[in-house]
């Protein structure tokens, strides 16, 4: 029989994780339940749905901290996230439909670490740092180094994701988000991306560009970030971005898209981040 535990506090959750690293960690279940019929029944389940120690969203110390248990509805509706971290609020709005957003969590998107996980490029562009914990203590990891391969991450078997910490962008930082799928809603991304671009007097000082669905994991488009530095915002930066991206990514062919289509769309998405509206 499968054991089922709803921990009372973080210490109990971490002790369970240490003792039973093979048990299923369940949050909203919107990824896990889809795959459940194809997987071996787990020996146990640690249920973190509405688990207070990893819930909530707080603003302070120049950053926004989003508990791993926060749902996409909570992220999308939070006034400070909408105002300061718009790419994440916009990504939240496009994750499945309302039912999925009400149940799916930040920790679940990060935990599944799909190359088409919609929040992940936004976490990259917004310079997220993840907080994870185990009985060995808490640690912080830059999200840019978190994904290690196709659906694999730095998470150790005894760890839990606790929160995402996101610095508030400065007043001279423009942010953007774009998802391209087969239709406007309920669609798995063909390409999606997010940007945080620091601009001074119309010139790009620095940029962080996160992209999804163009590699085996969400990636930072570092070649683009280098190419646009010092370029004038508008056509000049957009064309530099387009050329750098073309030379630096090799998307795959799969059932959703051809590699050629993905490359062209990714170029358009990235170039558009630098257009002046
Ligand atoms: C119909 C449908 C449409 C969808 N559409 C989209 C979409 O458009 N875009 C998109 O990105 N996703 C989509 N998804 C996928 C899913 O909803 C999201 O990835 C969601 O964020 C998963 O969150 P969850 O809480 O349900 O995760 P769960 O299914 O509970 O868990 C997912 C994984 O994360 C791990 N995990 C969860 N929390 C933690 C934690 N705190 N610490 C460590 N590990 C943890 C779990 O162990 C598991 O491996 C869709 C799913 C469905 C069913």
């Amino acid at each position: 029989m499968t054991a089922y535990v709803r921990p009372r506090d973080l210490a109990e959750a971490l002790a369970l994780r240490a003792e039973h690293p093979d048990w299923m960690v369940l949050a909203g279940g919107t990824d896990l339940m889809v795959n459940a019929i194809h997987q071996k029944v787990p020996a146990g389940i640690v249920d973190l749905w509405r688990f207070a120690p990893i819930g909530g969203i707080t603003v302070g110390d120049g950053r926004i901290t989003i508990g791993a248990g926060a749902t996409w509805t909570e992220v999308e509706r939070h006034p400070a996230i909408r105002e300061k971290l718009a790419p994440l609020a916009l990504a939240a709005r496009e994750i499945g439909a309302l039912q999925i957003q009400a149940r799916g969590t930040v920790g679940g998107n990060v935990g599944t670490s799909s190359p088409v996980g919609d929040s992940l490029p936004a976490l990259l562009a917004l310079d997220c740092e993840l907080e994870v914990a185990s009985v060995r203590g808490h640690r912080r990891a830059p999200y840019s180094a978190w994904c290690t391969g196709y659906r694999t991450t730095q998470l150790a078997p005894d760890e839990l994701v606790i929160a995402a910490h996101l610095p508030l962008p400065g007043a001279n930082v423009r942010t953007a988000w774009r998802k391209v799928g087969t239709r406007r809603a309920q669609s798995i991304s063909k390409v999606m991306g997010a940007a945080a671009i620091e601009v001074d007097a119309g010139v790009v000082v620095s940029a962080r560009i996160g992209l999804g669905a163009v590699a085996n994991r969400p990636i930072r488009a570092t070649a683009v970030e280098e190419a646009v530095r010092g370029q004038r915002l508008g056509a000049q930066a957009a064309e530099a971005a387009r050329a750098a991206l073309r030379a630096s990514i090799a998307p795959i062919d799969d059932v959703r898209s051809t590699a050629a289509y993905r490359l062209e769309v990714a170029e358009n998405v990235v170039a558009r981040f630098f257009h002046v509206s």
Side-chain angles (χ1 to χ4, degrees):
M1 220 176 59
T2 301
Y4 172 85
V5 185
R6 269 186 76 78
R8 278 159 306 203
D9 52 30
L10 189 58
E12 185 184 1
L14 296 178
L16 280 164
R17 199 76 176 113
E19 209 178 326
H20 307 286
D22 56 323
W23 283 17
M24 174 190 277
V25 173
L26 177 74
T30 60
D31 275 323
L32 284 172
M33 290 304 113
V34 172
N35 290 325
I37 50 168
H38 307 296
Q39 309 279 333
K40 220 170 72 185
V41 175
I45 296 174
V46 183
D47 184 354
L48 300 184
W49 174 245
R50 289 285 176 235
F51 181 50
I54 61 164
I57 298 170
T58 54
V59 186
D61 289 340
R63 65 185 182 191
I64 298 182
T65 296
I66 306 174
T71 63
W72 293 117
T73 305
E74 289 165 343
V75 169
E76 198 271 321
R77 291 188 181 164
H78 197 281
I81 297 180
R82 288 174 93 132
E83 189 193 332
K84 303 286 186 192
L85 307 176
L88 198 59
L90 293 169
R93 219 169 140 174
E94 299 207 33
I95 292 182
L98 293 181
Q99 296 90 332
I100 295 296
Q101 290 160 19
R103 187 84 200 180
T105 64
V106 174
N109 213 231
V110 164
T112 297
S113 199
S114 162
V116 293
D118 278 320
S119 73
L120 310 179
L123 296 182
L124 285 170
L126 296 169
D127 206 19
C128 170
E129 200 176 52
L130 287 182
E131 180 181 345
V132 298
S134 69
V135 290
R136 296 172 283 120
H138 285 242
R139 70 178 174 100
R140 298 276 186 100
Y143 190 68
S144 54
W146 182 252
C147 303
T148 51
Y150 179 69
R151 291 176 180 254
T152 57
T153 70
Q154 273 189 18
L155 192 77
D158 63 344
E159 285 179 326
L160 287 175
V161 181
I162 301 297
H165 299 279
L166 297 121
L168 295 174
N172 58 342
V173 174
R174 293 160 46 109
T175 62
W177 155 261
R178 185 71 204 261
K179 166 170 172 166
V180 179
T182 33
R183 50 181 185 257
R184 290 280 297 157
Q186 272 283 36
S187 128
I188 297 179
S189 295
K190 287 173 187 282
V191 172
M192 76 293 202
I197 304 164
E198 187 188 352
V199 181
D200 183 26
V203 172
V204 177
V205 176
S206 66
R208 277 188 307 274
I209 310 293
L211 286 177
V214 297
N216 71 349
R217 68 193 89 172
I219 56 163
R220 277 269 297 272
T222 49
V224 173
E225 294 172 359
E226 276 162 34
V228 295
R229 204 167 297 138
Q231 303 284 337
R232 182 149 288 280
L233 203 64
Q236 193 185 67
E239 285 319 304
R242 185 186 290 281
L245 189 74
R246 193 180 312 139
S248 63
I249 61 165
I252 55 157
D253 276 309
D254 69 9
V255 288
R256 289 190 203 112
S257 272
T258 62
Y261 176 82
R262 279 209 172 94
L263 184 59
E264 196 170 332
V265 173
E267 279 178 29
N268 290 341
V269 164
V270 169
R272 214 155 131 170
F273 289 154
F274 294 92
H275 284 156
V276 187
S277 48

